[in-house]
Every structure is written in C-alpha cells, then in structure tokens.
Amino acid sequence: MAVHEMHSEDYERWDRFVHSCSEATFFHRAGWKNVIEQAFNHKTWFLYAESNDVIQGVLPLAEIKSFLFGHSLIALPFCVYGGIAANNDAARKQLESAAIELAKKQKVDYLEFRNMKPLHQDWPTKDLYVTFRKTIDPDIEKNLLAIPRKQRAMVRKGIKFGLESEVDEDIERFFFAYSSSVHRLGTPVFSKKYFHLLKQTFKQDCELMTIHKDGVTLSSVMSFYFRDEVLPYYGGGTAEARKWAANDFMYWELMRRSCENGYKTFDFGRSKRNSGSYSFKKNWGFDEQPLYYEYQLVKSSQIPNHNPSNPKYKLFIQAWQRLPLFVANRVGPFIVKNLG
C-alpha cells in the first residue's frame, strides 16, 4: 500500500473510485481540487492510497492560512462531509498517517476530518453540526403527505400562489437570491467566481433551480447530484420570498423533480443544532444525524469555533447586516475564503 498525490492524469480513476466506494460523498470528487485552488487560492493535497495500481482510498485536503482564523489542514473546507473514504483499514491507516505527517510538516494549528461517522474516540470532536437525510418515495403524492401538516400547508400555499420553477444554466438569478438571503443573516457571501466554477466543473451534477412568480425571482437553489442522491447545497430567497412561501415551494419542487427522475435520497444538508435552518428541516419531518468533525491538534491547544453562533461574532454580524448589499457582495468573498 502506497500513498500518492493526485495529478490531472489521475482524475478519472479517482472519480471512478469515489463513485464505487460506499464511504465516499460528492465532496470527495476530484473536481473540488480545481474549485478550491481557483476560487480561493488555497493549496490542496488530494491523496490516494493504492495497492497493485488499484486505488483503495482517497483523502482530499486543503490548507487555509488566515491571519484572522488561523492555519488549518481540512478534509475538506467549504464541504460538509469529507475525511477519508476507503475500502479497507490498511488504506485508511496509510492516508491518516500521511495527513498527520503533512499537518506537522506544514506546521498547521490543527488537522480536521469532517466525518459522517465517528472514527477516533481519542480525538477532540466538535458536537455542533447535524445533517438531515431522508429516503424519497417513488410515489410523489406519498412524499407530499409525509411532510408534517403545518409545513405541508406552506408548500400548498406556494402551489396555490402559482409559483413556477425553472432550471438555469447561468448563476445570475441564483446569485441574486442567495446573496440577498445571506446578507440578511449577516453572513459574508461567496464570490460569483466560486459558483461559476462549481457549475463549470460539475456540469449536469450541479443544478440551479429558480422559483419565480410572474417572472420575478423569489428564491433559488444550487443542488448537487451524486449517485442516487440530491443535495440542495446553497440556496436563498429575496425579501419577498417569505410572503409567497417561495422557499417552502422550492424545496418541495426539488424533491418532486428528483422523485420523477428516479433519485432515492434527499440530503437536506448540514445545520447547526438549534439554529433557524435546523428548525426548518425538522419541520419537514427529517430526523437529524450527528456529524463527527474530528481534530488532530498540532500547534493549537483547542479546536476552532469559527461559526456565527460564537458570541464574539455578534457585533460583526449586526454590522454586516447594515452594509449595502453591493458593498457586502464586494467585500464578503475576501472574508469567507478564510473560513472554510
């Protein structure tokens, strides 16, 4: 078993392994290397373990150096899942050893694995995030009836208002709805370049769906497709979206379309415990599944706490919400690139 760094000629067989490995996710795909390097200018190491010229495990890593938020090596920043995806323990151990050695060589504060299941009982773990995943029934009507009554009423409200969905090939309407939404939340926005790269890199596996009424954009979502799963990853709505129940209609419309196209799992994605998005997803009848973000501390003595629920960011969030949208959209990408 030997560990190597992925190069362009390895992309195809890397992705073949990812699609075949039960532990792998959309965020293990080779395309993330170019996205992270080009959108954020972060150094990446995409490592794979192979035996007899056959890949047995992969570990995508990216290094973030930030004056404000520290120095880290993460599998994988800007992604909710990550860590090692392997077929056997030998590959897993080799990749883990290589990552720890790399973290020490780069003199990072910490190494972070974003796991969907616990792997290291003796590593510090962040108990902050959960994910929401649910099987899509082949019958569209059964999916609608499975939504709890109050949330189902909001979906029917959007249907009654005559909202329409449309798949976009460019990011303009999506970015308008998304940036408006995160600005109201006081969160720095990603750059347009990042979303262009996601669409360009993952093509048909990265879909933009916009909800509008009489041609006016209300909400929009960027979703990732992987094997038989759909994951609405970035989404948001304008100030008018709530009035028309556009966000509620949007997620139902995505579920309905996915059901028609034969997808079997709806991954509602990561949320912080007891946050607004956490409550929203619970209202859809989804059960939470804990995420296990595990850390190997190198130079740091404690795990990071870079999230909006941290009290020390309260004043920053309030100030950000008061910025004009065009200013927030210009400045935000310089901040968010360092958060990971």
Side-chain angles (χ1 to χ4, degrees):
M1 191 75 67
V3 174
H4 304 286
E5 186 175 348
M6 182 188 74
H7 299 289
S8 57
E9 61 269 23
D10 302 311
Y11 281 24
E12 187 175 336
R13 69 191 192 111
W14 173 293
D15 274 344
R16 281 202 304 269
F17 171 82
V18 167
H19 278 278
S20 67
C21 178
S22 61
E23 294 183 351
T25 70
F26 182 85
F27 305 102
H28 287 89
R29 290 186 57 175
W32 284 99
K33 178 178 175 64
N34 289 337
V35 169
I36 291 174
E37 289 179 348
Q38 294 179 34
F40 307 111
N41 200 31
H42 295 319
K43 171 67 177 172
T44 66
W45 287 267
F46 276 46
L47 307 178
Y48 65 91
E50 70 173 357
S51 176
N52 299 320
D53 296 324
V54 177
I55 294 179
Q56 301 291 339
V58 298
L59 173 59
L61 291 159
E63 180 182 7
I64 297 180
K65 291 183 178 180
S66 169
F67 175 76
L68 291 175
F69 304 108
H71 186 189
S72 58
L73 187 64
I74 305 174
L76 192 62
F78 313 105
C79 301
V80 296
Y81 313 137
I84 297 169
N87 286 338
N88 54 66
D89 288 339
R92 186 173 294 105
K93 289 177 181 177
Q94 289 285 343
L95 288 166
E96 183 178 299
S97 295
I100 293 173
E101 182 180 340
L102 179 61
K104 292 177 179 177
K105 179 181 177 182
Q106 298 305 116
K107 299 179 181 178
V108 300
D109 296 325
Y110 59 88
L111 167 68
E112 177 181 343
F113 288 170
R114 299 183 172 180
N115 304 322
M116 295 184 72
K117 59 182 181 181
L119 295 176
H120 303 91
Q121 299 298 326
D122 57 339
W123 285 26
T125 302
K126 182 183 289 184
D127 183 23
L128 177 65
Y129 297 111
V130 298
T131 191
F132 294 86
R133 292 163 57 83
K134 189 174 184 179
T135 300
I136 300 174
D137 193 279
D139 187 306
I140 292 176
E141 189 64 19
K142 286 184 179 179
N143 289 306
L144 182 60
L145 294 176
I147 302 172
R149 182 177 56 82
K150 288 185 178 180
Q151 183 58 53
R152 188 166 68 246
M154 294 300 293
V155 171
R156 293 194 187 280
K157 186 176 179 183
I159 296 172
K160 182 180 178 181
F161 283 140
L163 303 185
E164 297 182 74
S165 66
E166 189 173 354
V167 173
D168 289 327
E169 291 303 319
D170 64 67
I171 70 160
E172 294 305 316
R173 292 197 294 182
F174 161 78
F175 189 79
F176 169 67
Y178 164 78
S179 62
S180 300
S181 181
V182 297
H183 180 244
R184 291 197 307 276
L185 294 172
T187 304
V189 69
F190 286 103
S191 67
K192 273 190 175 183
K193 180 181 180 180
Y194 173 54
F195 295 113
H196 276 301
L197 282 166
L198 287 171
K199 182 60 180 169
Q200 176 185 329
T201 300
F202 298 115
K203 299 180 174 61
Q204 73 274 10
D205 294 332
C206 174
E207 181 188 79
L208 299 160
M209 186 184 73
T210 297
I211 304 302
H212 60 90
K213 179 172 174 57
D214 301 325
V216 177
T217 297
L218 295 174
S219 59
S220 190
V221 61
M222 173 179 277
S223 302
F224 298 142
Y225 292 91
F226 181 69
R227 293 193 288 239
D228 61 355
E229 303 175 3
V230 57
L231 196 169
Y233 200 59
Y234 293 110
T238 66
E240 290 289 297
R242 187 171 184 177
K243 171 184 175 182
W244 302 106
N247 289 329
D248 308 275
F249 175 80
M250 177 176 72
Y251 290 114
W252 161 248
E253 184 69 355
L254 179 63
M255 188 180 296
R256 185 191 66 78
R257 285 172 173 259
S258 298
C259 177
E260 285 186 341
N261 290 320
Y263 289 92
K264 298 179 181 179
T265 300
F266 193 91
D267 187 332
F268 228 149
R270 183 185 81 175
S271 291
K272 289 182 289 293
R273 295 183 187 276
N274 303 315
S275 64
S277 65
Y278 172 93
S279 299
F280 179 76
K281 294 168 187 178
K282 291 282 284 185
N283 289 343
W284 280 75
F286 282 61
D287 294 325
E288 64 190 74
Q289 301 174 28
L291 292 176
Y292 301 89
Y293 285 17
E294 298 178 340
Y295 297 83
Q296 182 73 200
L297 301 180
V298 182
K299 291 180 64 179
S300 179
S301 60
Q302 58 185 9
I303 62 177
N305 188 18
H306 306 148
N307 69 82
S309 62
N310 187 337
K312 76 176 186 178
Y313 296 131
K314 183 178 180 180
L315 292 177
F316 171 83
I317 292 171
Q318 292 174 345
W320 195 266
Q321 290 170 324
R322 291 193 290 269
L323 285 177
L325 181 59
F326 76 92
V327 174
N329 286 351
R330 291 288 295 273
V331 178
F334 295 100
I335 298 174
V336 76
K337 66 173 287 188
N338 294 310
L339 288 172

